Amino acid sequence: MAFGAYPLVSLADARSRRDEAYTVLCEGHDPSIAKNLEIEANLEAGRQTFERIAREWHENATPQWAKVHGSDVIRSLERDVFPSIGTLPIAQLTPPIVLGVLREIEARGSIETARRIRQRISATFVYAIAQGIAQHDPAEKLGAVLKPLRRGRQPAITELMPLRKMILTAEEDPARPVTRLALRLLALTAVRPSELRGARWDELEDLNGKEPLWRIGLEPAERIADHRPRRTVGDRFAPAP
């Protein structure tokens, strides 16, 4: 078998490759076939990109999720991950490369999103390891070095312009349709978030009519923390655009 043309392959390299081929031959294998298999394995590893494996993982996991959550997962990867590392072979990704992706998300102030994306990247690697495509998960321990989430109560927005900015930001985020709809309803009705979370279908009247009505009655004890009765409130609202 040929090892290459001189001077591209030096005499020392040729002797080293000869010795390797002789070792393979002594093990009962054809050196030419072993070399071709190694080349094919390298080519296949290059075809196993992060995006390809992530989409396989998503397709495999989708039946376990609600439709809205499944759409949120793949859109978040398409927006924040695939443009950076989607075309790279998954087996060649390292913790610094993955961390760079997460730092870009943190840089725009999306701390919670960065942590959620790390979990989804890690789940993709777990799937790849199970398929024999990757050997380790470079995202596994990165949660410890990401920026911490702020705990405690968030200050209420009391000015019109900051409120408008928050709503517009949510409208521009295609990965969170439920959040967009919830903020629209809050803006139209000015109810408390706890009332929106606890809304029941039997409180909503004439939704497809000209004057839809949300009649918020006395809340069950489990819908309020202090178990005190609430007054009856009737809020009319127009359908969201």
Side-chain angles (χ1 to χ4, degrees):
M1 60 182 296
F3 299 119
Y6 181 84
L8 295 177
V9 177
S10 67
L11 183 59
D13 287 339
R15 287 172 176 170
S16 177
R17 296 182 188 185
R18 178 203 61 191
D19 294 341
E20 292 174 1
Y22 181 72
T23 300
V24 172
L25 185 61
C26 291
E27 292 174 351
H29 303 291
D30 187 325
S32 297
I33 295 177
K35 181 180 180 180
N36 291 335
L37 289 176
E38 182 180 358
I39 293 173
E40 180 58 32
N42 290 336
L43 292 173
E44 179 60 22
R47 288 190 287 264
Q48 300 290 2
T49 64
F50 180 85
E51 180 174 351
R52 176 179 176 180
I53 304 306
R55 291 190 182 278
E56 287 184 12
W57 161 74
H58 178 264
E59 182 179 357
N60 181 71
T62 295
Q64 309 170 41
W65 300 331
K67 184 176 180 179
V68 171
H69 178 68
S71 298
D72 173 72
V73 169
I74 194 62
R75 278 197 296 263
S76 68
L77 294 174
E78 290 172 342
R79 179 191 60 205
D80 293 323
V81 182
F82 294 164
S84 299
I85 62 174
T87 59
L88 299 180
I90 190 170
Q92 296 181 15
L93 294 177
T94 62
I97 293 176
V98 176
L99 182 59
V101 175
L102 302 177
R103 291 297 192 212
E104 290 183 4
I105 301 172
E106 289 182 331
R108 65 172 192 256
S110 302
I111 309 304
E112 184 178 355
T113 299
R115 291 183 168 273
R116 192 160 51 242
I117 291 292
R118 186 207 65 80
Q119 294 173 346
R120 293 167 184 176
I121 292 176
S122 184
T124 299
F125 273 97
V126 170
Y127 176 84
I129 292 170
Q131 299 294 319
I133 299 169
Q135 300 298 320
H136 66 285
D137 174 10
E140 180 182 9
K141 301 185 182 302
L142 294 183
V145 299
L146 295 179
K147 293 181 179 179
L149 291 171
R150 289 191 300 173
R151 302 297 180 182
R153 301 174 67 89
Q154 299 295 323
I157 298 177
T158 58
E159 300 293 334
L160 180 59
M161 291 307 295
L163 176 61
R164 183 173 181 272
K165 181 179 179 181
M166 180 191 69
I167 294 175
L168 290 175
T169 300
E171 288 290 332
E172 294 171 356
D173 186 353
R176 309 183 76 173
V178 175
T179 301
R180 296 202 308 273
L181 294 176
L183 285 175
R184 288 181 187 178
L185 195 53
L186 282 174
L188 290 168
T189 61
V191 299
R192 299 175 181 178
S194 61
E195 292 169 338
L196 180 60
R197 288 196 301 269
R200 300 189 305 267
W201 283 110
D202 58 11
E203 295 176 341
L204 307 175
E205 305 173 10
D206 196 26
L207 289 180
N208 296 320
K210 295 182 178 180
E211 295 187 347
L213 178 69
W214 178 11
R215 196 182 302 276
I216 305 175
L218 292 177
E219 294 186 349
E222 62 270 15
R223 284 174 63 179
I224 54 176
D226 56 9
H227 295 181
R228 291 176 298 180
R230 301 283 295 280
R231 69 183 185 279
T232 300
V233 179
D235 291 299
R236 294 191 178 277
F237 62 94

mmCIF file with all atom_site columns, all heavy atoms in Angstrom, residues 9 21 40-41 62 78 98 114 121 130 133 139 154 160 181 188 192 195 202 207 210 229:
data_model
loop_
_atom_site.group_PDB
_atom_site.id
_atom_site.type_symbol
_atom_site.label_atom_id
_atom_site.label_alt_id
_atom_site.label_comp_id
_atom_site.label_asym_id
_atom_site.label_entity_id
_atom_site.label_seq_id
_atom_site.pdbx_PDB_ins_code
_atom_site.Cartn_x
_atom_site.Cartn_y
_atom_site.Cartn_z
_atom_site.occupancy
_atom_site.B_iso_or_equiv
_atom_site.pdbx_formal_charge
_atom_site.auth_seq_id
_atom_site.auth_comp_id
_atom_site.auth_asym_id
_atom_site.auth_atom_id
_atom_site.pdbx_PDB_model_num
ATOM 1   N N   . VAL A 1 9   ? 5.530   13.295 1.984  1.00 0.00 ? 9   VAL A N   1
ATOM 2   C CA  . VAL A 1 9   ? 5.672   12.338 3.087  1.00 0.00 ? 9   VAL A CA  1
ATOM 3   C C   . VAL A 1 9   ? 7.152   12.046 3.246  1.00 0.00 ? 9   VAL A C   1
ATOM 4   O O   . VAL A 1 9   ? 7.794   11.529 2.328  1.00 0.00 ? 9   VAL A O   1
ATOM 5   C CB  . VAL A 1 9   ? 4.889   11.044 2.807  1.00 0.00 ? 9   VAL A CB  1
ATOM 6   C CG1 . VAL A 1 9   ? 5.110   10.040 3.935  1.00 0.00 ? 9   VAL A CG1 1
ATOM 7   C CG2 . VAL A 1 9   ? 3.404   11.350 2.620  1.00 0.00 ? 9   VAL A CG2 1
ATOM 8   N N   . ALA A 1 21  ? 1.004   -0.013 9.806  1.00 0.00 ? 21  ALA A N   1
ATOM 9   C CA  . ALA A 1 21  ? 0.324   -0.947 8.912  1.00 0.00 ? 21  ALA A CA  1
ATOM 10  C C   . ALA A 1 21  ? 0.711   -2.390 9.240  1.00 0.00 ? 21  ALA A C   1
ATOM 11  O O   . ALA A 1 21  ? -0.133  -3.305 9.200  1.00 0.00 ? 21  ALA A O   1
ATOM 12  C CB  . ALA A 1 21  ? 0.654   -0.623 7.455  1.00 0.00 ? 21  ALA A CB  1
ATOM 13  N N   . GLU A 1 40  ? -13.709 6.881  6.401  1.00 0.00 ? 40  GLU A N   1
ATOM 14  C CA  . GLU A 1 40  ? -15.174 6.952  6.375  1.00 0.00 ? 40  GLU A CA  1
ATOM 15  C C   . GLU A 1 40  ? -15.729 7.371  7.734  1.00 0.00 ? 40  GLU A C   1
ATOM 16  O O   . GLU A 1 40  ? -16.692 8.143  7.821  1.00 0.00 ? 40  GLU A O   1
ATOM 17  C CB  . GLU A 1 40  ? -15.759 5.602  5.959  1.00 0.00 ? 40  GLU A CB  1
ATOM 18  C CG  . GLU A 1 40  ? -17.279 5.565  5.891  1.00 0.00 ? 40  GLU A CG  1
ATOM 19  C CD  . GLU A 1 40  ? -17.851 6.598  4.933  1.00 0.00 ? 40  GLU A CD  1
ATOM 20  O OE1 . GLU A 1 40  ? -17.195 6.902  3.921  1.00 0.00 ? 40  GLU A OE1 1
ATOM 21  O OE2 . GLU A 1 40  ? -18.966 7.092  5.210  1.00 0.00 ? 40  GLU A OE2 1
ATOM 22  N N   . ALA A 1 41  ? -15.116 6.877  8.803  1.00 0.00 ? 41  ALA A N   1
ATOM 23  C CA  . ALA A 1 41  ? -15.559 7.251  10.160 1.00 0.00 ? 41  ALA A CA  1
ATOM 24  C C   . ALA A 1 41  ? -15.363 8.742  10.398 1.00 0.00 ? 41  ALA A C   1
ATOM 25  O O   . ALA A 1 41  ? -16.216 9.412  11.000 1.00 0.00 ? 41  ALA A O   1
ATOM 26  C CB  . ALA A 1 41  ? -14.802 6.442  11.202 1.00 0.00 ? 41  ALA A CB  1
ATOM 27  N N   . THR A 1 62  ? -40.400 15.165 21.316 1.00 0.00 ? 62  THR A N   1
ATOM 28  C CA  . THR A 1 62  ? -41.622 15.941 21.116 1.00 0.00 ? 62  THR A CA  1
ATOM 29  C C   . THR A 1 62  ? -42.894 15.253 21.606 1.00 0.00 ? 62  THR A C   1
ATOM 30  O O   . THR A 1 62  ? -43.753 15.916 22.200 1.00 0.00 ? 62  THR A O   1
ATOM 31  C CB  . THR A 1 62  ? -41.770 16.319 19.624 1.00 0.00 ? 62  THR A CB  1
ATOM 32  O OG1 . THR A 1 62  ? -40.699 17.203 19.261 1.00 0.00 ? 62  THR A OG1 1
ATOM 33  C CG2 . THR A 1 62  ? -43.087 17.012 19.359 1.00 0.00 ? 62  THR A CG2 1
ATOM 34  N N   . GLU A 1 78  ? -33.059 27.295 17.199 1.00 0.00 ? 78  GLU A N   1
ATOM 35  C CA  . GLU A 1 78  ? -32.874 27.919 15.886 1.00 0.00 ? 78  GLU A CA  1
ATOM 36  C C   . GLU A 1 78  ? -32.414 29.366 16.018 1.00 0.00 ? 78  GLU A C   1
ATOM 37  O O   . GLU A 1 78  ? -31.631 29.854 15.197 1.00 0.00 ? 78  GLU A O   1
ATOM 38  C CB  . GLU A 1 78  ? -34.190 27.857 15.105 1.00 0.00 ? 78  GLU A CB  1
ATOM 39  C CG  . GLU A 1 78  ? -34.570 26.453 14.664 1.00 0.00 ? 78  GLU A CG  1
ATOM 40  C CD  . GLU A 1 78  ? -35.946 26.376 14.060 1.00 0.00 ? 78  GLU A CD  1
ATOM 41  O OE1 . GLU A 1 78  ? -36.757 27.314 14.272 1.00 0.00 ? 78  GLU A OE1 1
ATOM 42  O OE2 . GLU A 1 78  ? -36.256 25.385 13.377 1.00 0.00 ? 78  GLU A OE2 1
ATOM 43  N N   . VAL A 1 98  ? -19.280 25.929 23.825 1.00 0.00 ? 98  VAL A N   1
ATOM 44  C CA  . VAL A 1 98  ? -20.672 26.000 24.283 1.00 0.00 ? 98  VAL A CA  1
ATOM 45  C C   . VAL A 1 98  ? -20.871 27.198 25.202 1.00 0.00 ? 98  VAL A C   1
ATOM 46  O O   . VAL A 1 98  ? -21.884 27.904 25.116 1.00 0.00 ? 98  VAL A O   1
ATOM 47  C CB  . VAL A 1 98  ? -21.068 24.694 24.993 1.00 0.00 ? 98  VAL A CB  1
ATOM 48  C CG1 . VAL A 1 98  ? -22.489 24.799 25.548 1.00 0.00 ? 98  VAL A CG1 1
ATOM 49  C CG2 . VAL A 1 98  ? -20.973 23.504 24.028 1.00 0.00 ? 98  VAL A CG2 1
ATOM 50  N N   . ALA A 1 114 ? -30.556 31.745 28.956 1.00 0.00 ? 114 ALA A N   1
ATOM 51  C CA  . ALA A 1 114 ? -29.249 31.095 28.841 1.00 0.00 ? 114 ALA A CA  1
ATOM 52  C C   . ALA A 1 114 ? -29.237 29.784 29.616 1.00 0.00 ? 114 ALA A C   1
ATOM 53  O O   . ALA A 1 114 ? -28.699 28.770 29.141 1.00 0.00 ? 114 ALA A O   1
ATOM 54  C CB  . ALA A 1 114 ? -28.150 32.024 29.351 1.00 0.00 ? 114 ALA A CB  1
ATOM 55  N N   . ILE A 1 121 ? -29.131 22.089 25.300 1.00 0.00 ? 121 ILE A N   1
ATOM 56  C CA  . ILE A 1 121 ? -27.884 21.634 24.680 1.00 0.00 ? 121 ILE A CA  1
ATOM 57  C C   . ILE A 1 121 ? -27.405 20.359 25.360 1.00 0.00 ? 121 ILE A C   1
ATOM 58  O O   . ILE A 1 121 ? -26.985 19.395 24.708 1.00 0.00 ? 121 ILE A O   1
ATOM 59  C CB  . ILE A 1 121 ? -26.805 22.733 24.763 1.00 0.00 ? 121 ILE A CB  1
ATOM 60  C CG1 . ILE A 1 121 ? -27.190 23.925 23.881 1.00 0.00 ? 121 ILE A CG1 1
ATOM 61  C CG2 . ILE A 1 121 ? -25.440 22.185 24.338 1.00 0.00 ? 121 ILE A CG2 1
ATOM 62  C CD1 . ILE A 1 121 ? -26.231 25.103 23.984 1.00 0.00 ? 121 ILE A CD1 1
ATOM 63  N N   . ALA A 1 130 ? -25.886 8.496  23.870 1.00 0.00 ? 130 ALA A N   1
ATOM 64  C CA  . ALA A 1 130 ? -26.640 7.234  23.798 1.00 0.00 ? 130 ALA A CA  1
ATOM 65  C C   . ALA A 1 130 ? -26.578 6.616  22.409 1.00 0.00 ? 130 ALA A C   1
ATOM 66  O O   . ALA A 1 130 ? -26.625 5.393  22.260 1.00 0.00 ? 130 ALA A O   1
ATOM 67  C CB  . ALA A 1 130 ? -28.097 7.482  24.197 1.00 0.00 ? 130 ALA A CB  1
ATOM 68  N N   . ILE A 1 133 ? -22.525 8.786  19.217 1.00 0.00 ? 133 ILE A N   1
ATOM 69  C CA  . ILE A 1 133 ? -22.006 9.842  18.348 1.00 0.00 ? 133 ILE A CA  1
ATOM 70  C C   . ILE A 1 133 ? -21.035 10.743 19.098 1.00 0.00 ? 133 ILE A C   1
ATOM 71  O O   . ILE A 1 133 ? -20.095 11.278 18.523 1.00 0.00 ? 133 ILE A O   1
ATOM 72  C CB  . ILE A 1 133 ? -23.177 10.663 17.778 1.00 0.00 ? 133 ILE A CB  1
ATOM 73  C CG1 . ILE A 1 133 ? -24.097 9.752  16.952 1.00 0.00 ? 133 ILE A CG1 1
ATOM 74  C CG2 . ILE A 1 133 ? -22.677 11.821 16.923 1.00 0.00 ? 133 ILE A CG2 1
ATOM 75  C CD1 . ILE A 1 133 ? -25.406 10.394 16.565 1.00 0.00 ? 133 ILE A CD1 1
ATOM 76  N N   . ALA A 1 139 ? -21.720 20.617 28.039 1.00 0.00 ? 139 ALA A N   1
ATOM 77  C CA  . ALA A 1 139 ? -22.613 21.598 28.677 1.00 0.00 ? 139 ALA A CA  1
ATOM 78  C C   . ALA A 1 139 ? -23.021 21.191 30.081 1.00 0.00 ? 139 ALA A C   1
ATOM 79  O O   . ALA A 1 139 ? -23.643 21.978 30.797 1.00 0.00 ? 139 ALA A O   1
ATOM 80  C CB  . ALA A 1 139 ? -23.866 21.788 27.815 1.00 0.00 ? 139 ALA A CB  1
ATOM 81  N N   . GLN A 1 154 ? -39.826 41.217 42.095 1.00 0.00 ? 154 GLN A N   1
ATOM 82  C CA  . GLN A 1 154 ? -39.418 42.203 41.107 1.00 0.00 ? 154 GLN A CA  1
ATOM 83  C C   . GLN A 1 154 ? -40.235 43.473 41.299 1.00 0.00 ? 154 GLN A C   1
ATOM 84  O O   . GLN A 1 154 ? -41.431 43.408 41.581 1.00 0.00 ? 154 GLN A O   1
ATOM 85  C CB  . GLN A 1 154 ? -39.632 41.662 39.688 1.00 0.00 ? 154 GLN A CB  1
ATOM 86  C CG  . GLN A 1 154 ? -38.828 40.406 39.386 1.00 0.00 ? 154 GLN A CG  1
ATOM 87  C CD  . GLN A 1 154 ? -37.340 40.682 39.400 1.00 0.00 ? 154 GLN A CD  1
ATOM 88  O OE1 . GLN A 1 154 ? -36.893 41.739 38.975 1.00 0.00 ? 154 GLN A OE1 1
ATOM 89  N NE2 . GLN A 1 154 ? -36.569 39.735 39.889 1.00 0.00 ? 154 GLN A NE2 1
ATOM 90  N N   . LEU A 1 160 ? -45.684 54.336 32.115 1.00 0.00 ? 160 LEU A N   1
ATOM 91  C CA  . LEU A 1 160 ? -46.231 53.858 30.849 1.00 0.00 ? 160 LEU A CA  1
ATOM 92  C C   . LEU A 1 160 ? -45.140 53.407 29.879 1.00 0.00 ? 160 LEU A C   1
ATOM 93  O O   . LEU A 1 160 ? -45.260 52.357 29.247 1.00 0.00 ? 160 LEU A O   1
ATOM 94  C CB  . LEU A 1 160 ? -47.080 54.956 30.194 1.00 0.00 ? 160 LEU A CB  1
ATOM 95  C CG  . LEU A 1 160 ? -47.724 54.585 28.846 1.00 0.00 ? 160 LEU A CG  1
ATOM 96  C CD1 . LEU A 1 160 ? -48.634 53.382 29.010 1.00 0.00 ? 160 LEU A CD1 1
ATOM 97  C CD2 . LEU A 1 160 ? -48.496 55.775 28.286 1.00 0.00 ? 160 LEU A CD2 1
ATOM 98  N N   . LEU A 1 181 ? -49.480 36.389 24.585 1.00 0.00 ? 181 LEU A N   1
ATOM 99  C CA  . LEU A 1 181 ? -50.931 36.449 24.733 1.00 0.00 ? 181 LEU A CA  1
ATOM 100 C C   . LEU A 1 181 ? -51.322 36.857 26.154 1.00 0.00 ? 181 LEU A C   1
ATOM 101 O O   . LEU A 1 181 ? -52.279 37.630 26.350 1.00 0.00 ? 181 LEU A O   1
ATOM 102 C CB  . LEU A 1 181 ? -51.545 35.088 24.384 1.00 0.00 ? 181 LEU A CB  1
ATOM 103 C CG  . LEU A 1 181 ? -51.404 34.647 22.926 1.00 0.00 ? 181 LEU A CG  1
ATOM 104 C CD1 . LEU A 1 181 ? -51.953 33.241 22.731 1.00 0.00 ? 181 LEU A CD1 1
ATOM 105 C CD2 . LEU A 1 181 ? -52.105 35.622 21.993 1.00 0.00 ? 181 LEU A CD2 1
ATOM 106 N N   . LEU A 1 188 ? -55.012 44.666 28.418 1.00 0.00 ? 188 LEU A N   1
ATOM 107 C CA  . LEU A 1 188 ? -56.391 45.012 28.088 1.00 0.00 ? 188 LEU A CA  1
ATOM 108 C C   . LEU A 1 188 ? -57.300 45.049 29.314 1.00 0.00 ? 188 LEU A C   1
ATOM 109 O O   . LEU A 1 188 ? -58.276 45.799 29.351 1.00 0.00 ? 188 LEU A O   1
ATOM 110 C CB  . LEU A 1 188 ? -56.944 44.007 27.068 1.00 0.00 ? 188 LEU A CB  1
ATOM 111 C CG  . LEU A 1 188 ? -56.360 44.096 25.651 1.00 0.00 ? 188 LEU A CG  1
ATOM 112 C CD1 . LEU A 1 188 ? -56.756 42.886 24.834 1.00 0.00 ? 188 LEU A CD1 1
ATOM 113 C CD2 . LEU A 1 188 ? -56.827 45.378 24.971 1.00 0.00 ? 188 LEU A CD2 1
ATOM 114 N N   . ARG A 1 192 ? -54.837 41.488 38.116 1.00 0.00 ? 192 ARG A N   1
ATOM 115 C CA  . ARG A 1 192 ? -53.619 41.011 38.751 1.00 0.00 ? 192 ARG A CA  1
ATOM 116 C C   . ARG A 1 192 ? -53.146 39.736 38.052 1.00 0.00 ? 192 ARG A C   1
ATOM 117 O O   . ARG A 1 192 ? -53.953 38.946 37.573 1.00 0.00 ? 192 ARG A O   1
ATOM 118 C CB  . ARG A 1 192 ? -53.868 40.727 40.232 1.00 0.00 ? 192 ARG A CB  1
ATOM 119 C CG  . ARG A 1 192 ? -54.304 41.945 41.016 1.00 0.00 ? 192 ARG A CG  1
ATOM 120 C CD  . ARG A 1 192 ? -54.643 41.573 42.439 1.00 0.00 ? 192 ARG A CD  1
ATOM 121 N NE  . ARG A 1 192 ? -55.085 42.740 43.200 1.00 0.00 ? 192 ARG A NE  1
ATOM 122 C CZ  . ARG A 1 192 ? -55.487 42.693 44.468 1.00 0.00 ? 192 ARG A CZ  1
ATOM 123 N NH1 . ARG A 1 192 ? -55.516 41.535 45.102 1.00 0.00 ? 192 ARG A NH1 1
ATOM 124 N NH2 . ARG A 1 192 ? -55.867 43.795 45.080 1.00 0.00 ? 192 ARG A NH2 1
ATOM 125 N N   . GLU A 1 195 ? -54.903 36.669 39.139 1.00 0.00 ? 195 GLU A N   1
ATOM 126 C CA  . GLU A 1 195 ? -56.252 36.477 38.604 1.00 0.00 ? 195 GLU A CA  1
ATOM 127 C C   . GLU A 1 195 ? -56.203 35.891 37.202 1.00 0.00 ? 195 GLU A C   1
ATOM 128 O O   . GLU A 1 195 ? -57.037 35.062 36.837 1.00 0.00 ? 195 GLU A O   1
ATOM 129 C CB  . GLU A 1 195 ? -56.993 37.811 38.612 1.00 0.00 ? 195 GLU A CB  1
ATOM 130 C CG  . GLU A 1 195 ? -57.306 38.303 40.027 1.00 0.00 ? 195 GLU A CG  1
ATOM 131 C CD  . GLU A 1 195 ? -57.786 39.739 40.044 1.00 0.00 ? 195 GLU A CD  1
ATOM 132 O OE1 . GLU A 1 195 ? -57.488 40.466 39.073 1.00 0.00 ? 195 GLU A OE1 1
ATOM 133 O OE2 . GLU A 1 195 ? -58.422 40.147 41.019 1.00 0.00 ? 195 GLU A OE2 1
ATOM 134 N N   . ASP A 1 202 ? -65.386 29.026 32.774 1.00 0.00 ? 202 ASP A N   1
ATOM 135 C CA  . ASP A 1 202 ? -66.765 29.391 33.095 1.00 0.00 ? 202 ASP A CA  1
ATOM 136 C C   . ASP A 1 202 ? -66.915 30.858 33.500 1.00 0.00 ? 202 ASP A C   1
ATOM 137 O O   . ASP A 1 202 ? -68.021 31.344 33.713 1.00 0.00 ? 202 ASP A O   1
ATOM 138 C CB  . ASP A 1 202 ? -67.333 28.481 34.188 1.00 0.00 ? 202 ASP A CB  1
ATOM 139 C CG  . ASP A 1 202 ? -66.510 28.531 35.471 1.00 0.00 ? 202 ASP A CG  1
ATOM 140 O OD1 . ASP A 1 202 ? -65.639 29.404 35.597 1.00 0.00 ? 202 ASP A OD1 1
ATOM 141 O OD2 . ASP A 1 202 ? -66.742 27.682 36.356 1.00 0.00 ? 202 ASP A OD2 1
ATOM 142 N N   . LEU A 1 207 ? -67.197 35.046 24.105 1.00 0.00 ? 207 LEU A N   1
ATOM 143 C CA  . LEU A 1 207 ? -65.859 35.359 23.591 1.00 0.00 ? 207 LEU A CA  1
ATOM 144 C C   . LEU A 1 207 ? -65.861 35.665 22.107 1.00 0.00 ? 207 LEU A C   1
ATOM 145 O O   . LEU A 1 207 ? -65.034 36.453 21.626 1.00 0.00 ? 207 LEU A O   1
ATOM 146 C CB  . LEU A 1 207 ? -64.902 34.195 23.871 1.00 0.00 ? 207 LEU A CB  1
ATOM 147 C CG  . LEU A 1 207 ? -64.486 33.990 25.330 1.00 0.00 ? 207 LEU A CG  1
ATOM 148 C CD1 . LEU A 1 207 ? -63.541 32.813 25.446 1.00 0.00 ? 207 LEU A CD1 1
ATOM 149 C CD2 . LEU A 1 207 ? -63.836 35.251 25.881 1.00 0.00 ? 207 LEU A CD2 1
ATOM 150 N N   . LYS A 1 210 ? -69.724 40.406 20.140 1.00 0.00 ? 210 LYS A N   1
ATOM 151 C CA  . LYS A 1 210 ? -69.290 41.801 20.039 1.00 0.00 ? 210 LYS A CA  1
ATOM 152 C C   . LYS A 1 210 ? -68.853 42.367 21.383 1.00 0.00 ? 210 LYS A C   1
ATOM 153 O O   . LYS A 1 210 ? -68.088 43.330 21.427 1.00 0.00 ? 210 LYS A O   1
ATOM 154 C CB  . LYS A 1 210 ? -70.418 42.647 19.455 1.00 0.00 ? 210 LYS A CB  1
ATOM 155 C CG  . LYS A 1 210 ? -70.766 42.294 18.018 1.00 0.00 ? 210 LYS A CG  1
ATOM 156 C CD  . LYS A 1 210 ? -71.852 43.209 17.477 1.00 0.00 ? 210 LYS A CD  1
ATOM 157 C CE  . LYS A 1 210 ? -72.169 42.885 16.026 1.00 0.00 ? 210 LYS A CE  1
ATOM 158 N NZ  . LYS A 1 210 ? -73.238 43.765 15.468 1.00 0.00 ? 210 LYS A NZ  1
ATOM 159 N N   . PRO A 1 229 ? -61.684 36.461 51.128 1.00 0.00 ? 229 PRO A N   1
ATOM 160 C CA  . PRO A 1 229 ? -62.608 36.611 50.001 1.00 0.00 ? 229 PRO A CA  1
ATOM 161 C C   . PRO A 1 229 ? -62.280 37.852 49.199 1.00 0.00 ? 229 PRO A C   1
ATOM 162 O O   . PRO A 1 229 ? -61.776 38.841 49.725 1.00 0.00 ? 229 PRO A O   1
ATOM 163 C CB  . PRO A 1 229 ? -63.965 36.716 50.678 1.00 0.00 ? 229 PRO A CB  1
ATOM 164 C CG  . PRO A 1 229 ? -63.666 37.230 52.048 1.00 0.00 ? 229 PRO A CG  1
ATOM 165 C CD  . PRO A 1 229 ? -62.343 36.622 52.429 1.00 0.00 ? 229 PRO A CD  1
#
